[in-house]
Amino acid sequence: MADLRPTEILLSDDRIQKRVAELAAQISRDFPDGVHLVAVLKGAFVFLSDLVRHMTGRVTLDFLAASSYAKGTTSSGEVRLLKDLDYSLDGRNVVIVEDIVDTGVTLHYLQDILRARGPKSLRTACLLSKPSRRLVDVEVEYIGFTIEDRFVVGYGLDYAELYRNLPHIAVVGPA
Ligand code: IMP
Ligand code: MG
């Protein structure tokens, strides 16, 4: 896995921008009284920043960071919360903003712990979804793109912490 780098472009900058604008409009329409976005660090930071700039109405933000143990070798749902939220979710319309839903383990865990904090509603927005990889059934109300089982980077997503800065989404492959 050491010599992987971005190869083919899967989703261009342009395509992503158009789709993110559509998602933002849809979320704004669904929450005319305002919405509280909870972004999952670090992967969602680019998606979030484009999303909020296309949203109208009252928008507030918070961040959390999570990491799954021994990714790829366990399906037991062991997720660690590395950074918790600054604000309460009590009575708010909350949308989790995540980069990608892969096995669903991380999102399932986050939805569980956030639901327990008493939001008025809880929905999820993911830029990408890889349904063929799902181990846990999770509900995602807003999905940017459904993709095949390929490892992708760019637009916030990393491989070994690299390539988050790419404006497009690329598949990684041998150099
Ligand atoms: P899950 O718990 O398997 O759904 O994992 C979700 C997390 O794994 C995402 O938030 C990403 O951080 C990471 N991930 C899954 N697939 C990819 C990928 O193709 N590229 C980069 N990160 C990925
Ligand atoms: Mg992530």
Side-chain angles (χ1 to χ4, degrees), residues 37-122:
L37 302 179
V38 167
V40 184
L41 295 171
K42 295 178 233 176
F45 84 105
V46 181
F47 178 35
L48 176 81
S49 71
D50 282 339
L51 192 71
V52 291
R53 282 179 289 175
H54 284 107
M55 288 179 68
T56 54
R58 293 166 65 87
V59 178
T60 52
L61 301 177
D62 206 349
F63 296 90
L64 60 74
S67 128
S68 33
Y69 284 109
K71 215 169 136 34
T73 64
T74 176
S75 60
S76 60
E78 294 170 81
V79 180
R80 262 185 313 167
L81 198 58
L82 303 178
K83 182 215 173 293
D84 205 340
L85 298 172
D86 291 337
Y87 301 105
S88 160
L89 301 184
D90 192 37
R92 295 177 125 143
N93 288 315
V94 175
V95 175
I96 301 171
V97 178
E98 174 62 306
D99 52 1
I100 185 167
V101 51
D102 185 34
T103 64
V105 169
T106 307
L107 200 52
H108 179 78
Y109 169 84
L110 293 177
Q111 288 177 345
D112 262 10
I113 62 163
L114 298 186
R115 201 173 286 117
R117 297 182 184 190
K120 186 174 171 196
S121 66
L122 183 68

Side-chain angles (χ1 to χ4, degrees), residues 20-40:
V20 171
E22 287 172 6
L23 289 177
Q26 196 183 339
I27 295 170
S28 294
R29 230 182 292 121
D30 291 350
F31 297 99
D33 299 328
V35 66
H36 185 65
L37 302 179
V38 167
V40 184

